[in-house]
Amino acid sequence: MCDTCGCNITDGNRHLVSPGGRLAQTEDGRAAVTVLQSLLSENDHQAAHNRAHFDARGILALNLMSSPGAGKTALLEATIDALGDKYRIVVIEGDLETENDAARIRAKGVEAVQIATGSACHLDAHMVHEALHRLDLDGVDLVFIENVGNLVCPASFDLGQHLNVTLLSVTEGDDKPAKYPVMFRAADLMLLTKTDLLAVLDDFDTAQAERALRLVGSAAPVLHAAPRKGLGIKEWIDWIDGELEAQRARVAAGTTRRPAIQAEGARLHAANPAGGAHDHSHAHEHEHAHQHRHQHEHKHEHKHAHAHDHDHAGETGGGARS
Amino acid sequence: MHELSVCQALVQQLEAVSAANGGGRVELVRLRIGPLSGVEAALLSHAFPLAAAGTIAAGAELAITAAPVVVQCNECGASGEAAPNRMLCPACGGYRVRTVSGTEMLLESVELAAPADAGA
Ligand SMILES: Nc1nc2c(ncn2[C@@H]2O[C@H](COP(=O)(O)OP(=O)(O)OP(=O)(O)O)[C@@H](O)[C@H]2O)c(=O)[nH]1
Ligand SMILES: [Zn+2]
Ligand SMILES: [Zn+2]
Ligand SMILES: [Zn+2]
Ligand SMILES: [Zn+2]
């Protein structure tokens, strides 16, 4: 099962599964079953599968997160203007109700799939998977996922992206990382937006915003941009170029990258060169399941995880884990 | 507020655990939740009975242990507890720290009714 692959075992909980740990007791009349899994392991397996779709095609996938209206769609519009000739881009839009954002992206000549989440406050890996199968990914370089505007929930769900970009518009206040630590910890890049407004805001201190980010334990770089005014686009594009290059190197080496979310698991996988092969094997097994309905595939996926007990144990046996 | 969907995933796992261990009813579920996990223990407790209704886990007790945020300093090596938005080394005050604990969202253990009782 997933627990043997090591991705959920951290320095904080390892003692629970070591011999003599308190999870192996049996009480009278009851069978105490020890399991140690992320409650999101279903989502995580789907996310690994999505990532395998990207990696198989050398695509870099970026997840944009922010509070509502921080400028995610405006950033995408400016990005397409700057990069649309150089790269093939597709966009997945998560929105509670409307098609507005997807329509704005399509107006730029780029393919966009809208996921209407209804009342759900975040995208999950299953929703993104459905969207991926509505897109032609061949020849695509960049997939942008615009998450639902919400500074709480999106950070908890791995979608299969490689990197998280958390936008913070300067009108929201420089204390946001302190108020939403889980979201800002998940950032691989913090992008301060609407910086054209700094001139008229006397209380947003960009150095303070960066300090607040460091205090939630993030070493992510910080960039400034005002996409509507064409400011900071070059630095943003340079960052994307660098990350696309890094992604192509990973793909060539047969490895992958999980976003900053679930940092401990990513660290354990990174310490283990076979981690890439783990995701790769998902890709092969799952090509069969693609025509199935969502629920069927879900179950299939779970069985798959069980069937691979042995491989996972073998992979981690040579890694950093005891 | 996605605790209900988290509970639905939990119930799926409980069904799998039960099926793999003789099919007994789920009586007790132990979770370990850190403040950096993105779920609220109180909301989970409210959502769980809804997600479990009509399943093998209906009526099960949910026991949630709060994991502390623990950091270890990359500079001086000290480790200790920290606040989620003030993850500084407890010894030297540096911010180059590694998170040792606090991000967990774990199903620690499940107690099932003995399989012999399952039909009763
Ligand atoms: N001053 C200024 N305003 C901006 C900038 N970028 C976006 N805006 C404005 O901010 C508002 C929201 O922008 P969007 O791009 O729709 O924001 P979003 O994050 O996609 O919003 P949701 O998808 O609803 O969460 C619009 O009124 C934009 O014109 C900028 O660089 N400077
Ligand atoms: Zn938008
Ligand atoms: Zn697929
Ligand atoms: Zn949510
Ligand atoms: Zn220190």
Side-chain angles (χ1 to χ4, degrees), chain B residues 73-108:
Chain B
C73 184
N74 291 336
E75 305 293 330
C76 77
S79 67
E81 285 195 35
N85 59 7
R86 203 175 163 77
M87 308 233 321
L88 299 178
C89 169
C92 75
Y95 68 80
R96 293 178 196 285
V97 298
R98 194 168 64 82
T99 309
V100 174
S101 160
T103 60
E104 300 93 330
M105 188 193 321
L106 294 168
L107 173 53
E108 281 191 342

mmCIF file of all heavy atoms in Angstrom, chain B residues 73-108:
data_model
loop_
_atom_site.group_PDB
_atom_site.id
_atom_site.type_symbol
_atom_site.label_atom_id
_atom_site.label_comp_id
_atom_site.label_asym_id
_atom_site.label_seq_id
_atom_site.Cartn_x
_atom_site.Cartn_y
_atom_site.Cartn_z
ATOM 1 N N CYS B 73 16.801 23.475 13.314
ATOM 2 C CA CYS B 73 17.600 24.559 12.743
ATOM 3 C C CYS B 73 18.719 24.009 11.864
ATOM 4 O O CYS B 73 19.464 23.119 12.277
ATOM 5 C CB CYS B 73 18.185 25.403 13.867
ATOM 6 S SG CYS B 73 19.088 26.838 13.270
ATOM 7 N N ASN B 74 18.821 24.560 10.661
ATOM 8 C CA ASN B 74 19.903 24.154 9.764
ATOM 9 C C ASN B 74 21.228 24.784 10.175
ATOM 10 O O ASN B 74 22.288 24.347 9.738
ATOM 11 C CB ASN B 74 19.591 24.559 8.323
ATOM 12 C CG ASN B 74 18.449 23.766 7.745
ATOM 13 O OD1 ASN B 74 18.157 22.655 8.200
ATOM 14 N ND2 ASN B 74 17.778 24.323 6.749
ATOM 15 N N GLU B 75 21.164 25.853 10.975
ATOM 16 C CA GLU B 75 22.387 26.568 11.351
ATOM 17 C C GLU B 75 23.003 25.953 12.608
ATOM 18 O O GLU B 75 24.151 25.548 12.606
ATOM 19 C CB GLU B 75 22.078 28.054 11.602
ATOM 20 C CG GLU B 75 21.396 28.764 10.430
ATOM 21 C CD GLU B 75 22.280 28.898 9.193
ATOM 22 O OE1 GLU B 75 23.509 28.996 9.355
ATOM 23 O OE2 GLU B 75 21.743 28.895 8.069
ATOM 24 N N CYS B 76 22.197 25.898 13.686
ATOM 25 C CA CYS B 76 22.781 25.466 14.965
ATOM 26 C C CYS B 76 22.349 24.069 15.369
ATOM 27 O O CYS B 76 22.873 23.529 16.348
ATOM 28 C CB CYS B 76 22.440 26.476 16.075
ATOM 29 S SG CYS B 76 20.742 26.346 16.696
ATOM 30 N N GLY B 77 21.394 23.488 14.643
ATOM 31 C CA GLY B 77 21.024 22.107 14.926
ATOM 32 C C GLY B 77 19.976 21.927 16.010
ATOM 33 O O GLY B 77 19.480 20.826 16.209
ATOM 34 N N ALA B 78 19.620 23.004 16.708
ATOM 35 C CA ALA B 78 18.625 22.880 17.774
ATOM 36 C C ALA B 78 17.262 22.554 17.173
ATOM 37 O O ALA B 78 16.982 22.888 16.019
ATOM 38 C CB ALA B 78 18.547 24.180 18.570
ATOM 39 N N SER B 79 16.403 21.906 17.958
ATOM 40 C CA SER B 79 15.047 21.683 17.476
ATOM 41 C C SER B 79 14.058 21.962 18.590
ATOM 42 O O SER B 79 14.409 21.934 19.771
ATOM 43 C CB SER B 79 14.880 20.262 16.938
ATOM 44 O OG SER B 79 14.999 19.339 17.983
ATOM 45 N N GLY B 80 12.836 22.274 18.219
ATOM 46 C CA GLY B 80 11.821 22.551 19.223
ATOM 47 C C GLY B 80 10.538 23.014 18.571
ATOM 48 O O GLY B 80 10.443 23.116 17.339
ATOM 49 N N GLU B 81 9.541 23.283 19.409
ATOM 50 C CA GLU B 81 8.238 23.680 18.900
ATOM 51 C C GLU B 81 8.242 25.116 18.398
ATOM 52 O O GLU B 81 9.017 25.950 18.873
ATOM 53 C CB GLU B 81 7.166 23.509 19.981
ATOM 54 C CG GLU B 81 6.793 22.051 20.193
ATOM 55 C CD GLU B 81 5.496 21.889 20.977
ATOM 56 O OE1 GLU B 81 4.586 22.713 20.811
ATOM 57 O OE2 GLU B 81 5.419 20.911 21.753
ATOM 58 N N ALA B 82 7.377 25.374 17.432
ATOM 59 C CA ALA B 82 7.268 26.713 16.855
ATOM 60 C C ALA B 82 5.805 26.974 16.526
ATOM 61 O O ALA B 82 4.984 26.053 16.528
ATOM 62 C CB ALA B 82 8.118 26.813 15.595
ATOM 63 N N ALA B 83 5.472 28.229 16.246
ATOM 64 C CA ALA B 83 4.120 28.576 15.814
ATOM 65 C C ALA B 83 4.074 28.491 14.294
ATOM 66 O O ALA B 83 5.080 28.724 13.622
ATOM 67 C CB ALA B 83 3.766 29.983 16.281
ATOM 68 N N PRO B 84 2.892 28.176 13.710
ATOM 69 C CA PRO B 84 2.808 28.008 12.254
ATOM 70 C C PRO B 84 3.284 29.227 11.460
ATOM 71 O O PRO B 84 3.797 29.077 10.363
ATOM 72 C CB PRO B 84 1.315 27.759 12.010
ATOM 73 C CG PRO B 84 0.812 27.179 13.287
ATOM 74 C CD PRO B 84 1.620 27.826 14.380
ATOM 75 N N ASN B 85 3.135 30.414 12.021
ATOM 76 C CA ASN B 85 3.562 31.599 11.272
ATOM 77 C C ASN B 85 4.782 32.271 11.909
ATOM 78 O O ASN B 85 5.064 33.436 11.660
ATOM 79 C CB ASN B 85 2.407 32.596 11.139
ATOM 80 C CG ASN B 85 1.892 33.048 12.493
ATOM 81 O OD1 ASN B 85 2.475 32.727 13.523
ATOM 82 N ND2 ASN B 85 0.802 33.789 12.477
ATOM 83 N N ARG B 86 5.479 31.525 12.726
ATOM 84 C CA ARG B 86 6.708 32.031 13.317
ATOM 85 C C ARG B 86 7.659 30.861 13.504
ATOM 86 O O ARG B 86 7.975 30.426 14.610
ATOM 87 C CB ARG B 86 6.406 32.723 14.646
ATOM 88 C CG ARG B 86 7.476 33.710 15.026
ATOM 89 C CD ARG B 86 7.135 34.496 16.279
ATOM 90 N NE ARG B 86 8.342 35.106 16.814
ATOM 91 C CZ ARG B 86 8.905 36.190 16.307
ATOM 92 N NH1 ARG B 86 8.381 36.812 15.280
ATOM 93 N NH2 ARG B 86 10.016 36.669 16.846
ATOM 94 N N MET B 87 8.116 30.343 12.358
ATOM 95 C CA MET B 87 8.898 29.113 12.383
ATOM 96 C C MET B 87 10.374 29.469 12.510
ATOM 97 O O MET B 87 11.154 29.289 11.574
ATOM 98 C CB MET B 87 8.614 28.307 11.120
ATOM 99 C CG MET B 87 7.114 28.114 10.931
ATOM 100 S SD MET B 87 6.550 26.462 10.718
ATOM 101 C CE MET B 87 7.749 25.721 9.728
ATOM 102 N N LEU B 88 10.734 29.940 13.686
ATOM 103 C CA LEU B 88 12.115 30.332 13.948
ATOM 104 C C LEU B 88 12.769 29.296 14.849
ATOM 105 O O LEU B 88 12.098 28.629 15.628
ATOM 106 C CB LEU B 88 12.152 31.703 14.633
ATOM 107 C CG LEU B 88 11.557 32.858 13.833
ATOM 108 C CD1 LEU B 88 11.607 34.154 14.637
ATOM 109 C CD2 LEU B 88 12.310 33.021 12.514
ATOM 110 N N CYS B 89 14.099 29.211 14.736
ATOM 111 C CA CYS B 89 14.858 28.313 15.605
ATOM 112 C C CYS B 89 14.635 28.727 17.057
ATOM 113 O O CYS B 89 14.803 29.898 17.404
ATOM 114 C CB CYS B 89 16.332 28.378 15.251
ATOM 115 S SG CYS B 89 17.366 27.546 16.464
ATOM 116 N N PRO B 90 14.264 27.776 17.924
ATOM 117 C CA PRO B 90 14.030 28.128 19.331
ATOM 118 C C PRO B 90 15.313 28.553 20.041
ATOM 119 O O PRO B 90 15.250 29.235 21.063
ATOM 120 C CB PRO B 90 13.461 26.837 19.930
ATOM 121 C CG PRO B 90 13.901 25.747 19.015
ATOM 122 C CD PRO B 90 14.027 26.357 17.648
ATOM 123 N N ALA B 91 16.477 28.194 19.488
ATOM 124 C CA ALA B 91 17.739 28.522 20.156
ATOM 125 C C ALA B 91 18.350 29.815 19.611
ATOM 126 O O ALA B 91 18.574 30.765 20.355
ATOM 127 C CB ALA B 91 18.732 27.371 20.008
ATOM 128 N N CYS B 92 18.573 29.875 18.298
ATOM 129 C CA CYS B 92 19.314 31.022 17.760
ATOM 130 C C CYS B 92 18.399 32.020 17.044
ATOM 131 O O CYS B 92 18.863 33.083 16.634
ATOM 132 C CB CYS B 92 20.432 30.552 16.831
ATOM 133 S SG CYS B 92 19.860 29.973 15.213
ATOM 134 N N GLY B 93 17.120 31.696 16.867
ATOM 135 C CA GLY B 93 16.205 32.644 16.234
ATOM 136 C C GLY B 93 16.308 32.684 14.719
ATOM 137 O O GLY B 93 15.632 33.485 14.074
ATOM 138 N N GLY B 94 17.137 31.826 14.131
ATOM 139 C CA GLY B 94 17.299 31.830 12.679
ATOM 140 C C GLY B 94 16.068 31.274 11.969
ATOM 141 O O GLY B 94 15.276 30.549 12.564
ATOM 142 N N TYR B 95 15.907 31.637 10.684
ATOM 143 C CA TYR B 95 14.738 31.130 9.959
ATOM 144 C C TYR B 95 15.087 30.001 9.004
ATOM 145 O O TYR B 95 14.217 29.461 8.330
ATOM 146 C CB TYR B 95 14.003 32.261 9.228
ATOM 147 C CG TYR B 95 14.730 32.878 8.074
ATOM 148 C CD1 TYR B 95 14.755 32.255 6.838
ATOM 149 C CD2 TYR B 95 15.403 34.092 8.220
ATOM 150 C CE1 TYR B 95 15.425 32.811 5.772
ATOM 151 C CE2 TYR B 95 16.075 34.657 7.165
ATOM 152 C CZ TYR B 95 16.095 34.014 5.936
ATOM 153 O OH TYR B 95 16.767 34.573 4.896
ATOM 154 N N ARG B 96 16.338 29.633 8.923
ATOM 155 C CA ARG B 96 16.700 28.503 8.056
ATOM 156 C C ARG B 96 16.468 27.209 8.814
ATOM 157 O O ARG B 96 17.388 26.610 9.361
ATOM 158 C CB ARG B 96 18.149 28.621 7.606
ATOM 159 C CG ARG B 96 18.361 29.789 6.688
ATOM 160 C CD ARG B 96 19.799 29.959 6.256
ATOM 161 N NE ARG B 96 19.990 31.292 5.704
ATOM 162 C CZ ARG B 96 19.577 31.674 4.506
ATOM 163 N NH1 ARG B 96 18.975 30.802 3.724
ATOM 164 N NH2 ARG B 96 19.753 32.915 4.091
ATOM 165 N N VAL B 97 15.206 26.821 8.862
ATOM 166 C CA VAL B 97 14.841 25.635 9.630
ATOM 167 C C VAL B 97 14.136 24.636 8.732
ATOM 168 O O VAL B 97 13.637 24.971 7.655
ATOM 169 C CB VAL B 97 13.909 25.998 10.814
ATOM 170 C CG1 VAL B 97 14.601 26.931 11.790
ATOM 171 C CG2 VAL B 97 12.606 26.607 10.315
ATOM 172 N N ARG B 98 14.097 23.426 9.192
ATOM 173 C CA ARG B 98 13.444 22.323 8.503
ATOM 174 C C ARG B 98 12.232 21.943 9.337
ATOM 175 O O ARG B 98 12.315 21.904 10.563
ATOM 176 C CB ARG B 98 14.443 21.165 8.475
ATOM 177 C CG ARG B 98 14.149 20.031 7.566
ATOM 178 C CD ARG B 98 15.411 19.140 7.482
ATOM 179 N NE ARG B 98 15.744 18.537 8.759
ATOM 180 C CZ ARG B 98 15.163 17.435 9.226
ATOM 181 N NH1 ARG B 98 14.248 16.817 8.520
ATOM 182 N NH2 ARG B 98 15.498 16.937 10.394
ATOM 183 N N THR B 99 11.127 21.663 8.693
ATOM 184 C CA THR B 99 9.924 21.267 9.430
ATOM 185 C C THR B 99 9.996 19.778 9.734
ATOM 186 O O THR B 99 10.058 18.956 8.829
ATOM 187 C CB THR B 99 8.666 21.554 8.599
ATOM 188 O OG1 THR B 99 8.734 22.899 8.139
ATOM 189 C CG2 THR B 99 7.424 21.359 9.434
ATOM 190 N N VAL B 100 10.006 19.458 11.006
ATOM 191 C CA VAL B 100 10.106 18.059 11.410
ATOM 192 C C VAL B 100 8.718 17.460 11.603
ATOM 193 O O VAL B 100 8.469 16.299 11.307
ATOM 194 C CB VAL B 100 10.929 17.945 12.717
ATOM 195 C CG1 VAL B 100 10.922 16.521 13.248
ATOM 196 C CG2 VAL B 100 12.362 18.413 12.473
ATOM 197 N N SER B 101 7.802 18.266 12.093
ATOM 198 C CA SER B 101 6.443 17.792 12.357
ATOM 199 C C SER B 101 5.489 18.969 12.245
ATOM 200 O O SER B 101 5.898 20.118 12.393
ATOM 201 C CB SER B 101 6.388 17.173 13.763
ATOM 202 O OG SER B 101 5.059 17.116 14.235
ATOM 203 N N GLY B 102 4.227 18.675 11.964
ATOM 204 C CA GLY B 102 3.217 19.731 11.898
ATOM 205 C C GLY B 102 2.415 19.688 10.615
ATOM 206 O O GLY B 102 1.355 20.283 10.523
ATOM 207 N N THR B 103 2.922 18.954 9.596
ATOM 208 C CA THR B 103 2.196 18.878 8.324
ATOM 209 C C THR B 103 1.382 17.580 8.210
ATOM 210 O O THR B 103 0.756 17.335 7.189
ATOM 211 C CB THR B 103 3.166 18.927 7.131
ATOM 212 O OG1 THR B 103 4.061 17.818 7.237
ATOM 213 C CG2 THR B 103 3.984 20.207 7.123
ATOM 214 N N GLU B 104 1.385 16.776 9.256
ATOM 215 C CA GLU B 104 0.754 15.456 9.147
ATOM 216 C C GLU B 104 -0.758 15.529 8.996
ATOM 217 O O GLU B 104 -1.424 16.343 9.610
ATOM 218 C CB GLU B 104 1.018 14.616 10.410
ATOM 219 C CG GLU B 104 2.450 14.342 10.712
ATOM 220 C CD GLU B 104 3.044 15.373 11.646
ATOM 221 O OE1 GLU B 104 2.593 16.542 11.625
ATOM 222 O OE2 GLU B 104 3.949 15.003 12.394
ATOM 223 N N MET B 105 -1.265 14.624 8.174
ATOM 224 C CA MET B 105 -2.696 14.348 8.120
ATOM 225 C C MET B 105 -2.763 12.835 7.938
ATOM 226 O O MET B 105 -2.833 12.334 6.831
ATOM 227 C CB MET B 105 -3.338 15.064 6.943
ATOM 228 C CG MET B 105 -4.842 14.959 6.979
ATOM 229 S SD MET B 105 -5.648 15.458 5.451
ATOM 230 C CE MET B 105 -4.714 16.848 4.931
ATOM 231 N N LEU B 106 -2.708 12.143 9.038
ATOM 232 C CA LEU B 106 -2.461 10.710 8.965
ATOM 233 C C LEU B 106 -3.542 9.889 9.639
ATOM 234 O O LEU B 106 -4.055 10.259 10.697
ATOM 235 C CB LEU B 106 -1.125 10.371 9.645
ATOM 236 C CG LEU B 106 0.107 10.934 8.967
ATOM 237 C CD1 LEU B 106 1.306 10.786 9.884
ATOM 238 C CD2 LEU B 106 0.360 10.227 7.655
ATOM 239 N N LEU B 107 -3.840 8.781 8.988
ATOM 240 C CA LEU B 107 -4.667 7.747 9.595
ATOM 241 C C LEU B 107 -3.694 6.840 10.339
ATOM 242 O O LEU B 107 -2.930 6.112 9.725
ATOM 243 C CB LEU B 107 -5.409 7.003 8.490
ATOM 244 C CG LEU B 107 -6.216 5.778 8.858
ATOM 245 C CD1 LEU B 107 -7.198 6.076 9.967
ATOM 246 C CD2 LEU B 107 -6.943 5.263 7.629
ATOM 247 N N GLU B 108 -3.693 6.952 11.665
ATOM 248 C CA GLU B 108 -2.698 6.214 12.453
ATOM 249 C C GLU B 108 -3.084 4.763 12.652
ATOM 250 O O GLU B 108 -2.278 3.865 12.464
ATOM 251 C CB GLU B 108 -2.544 6.849 13.843
ATOM 252 C CG GLU B 108 -1.690 8.078 13.846
ATOM 253 C CD GLU B 108 -1.353 8.495 15.266
ATOM 254 O OE1 GLU B 108 -2.031 8.051 16.216
ATOM 255 O OE2 GLU B 108 -0.417 9.261 15.428
#
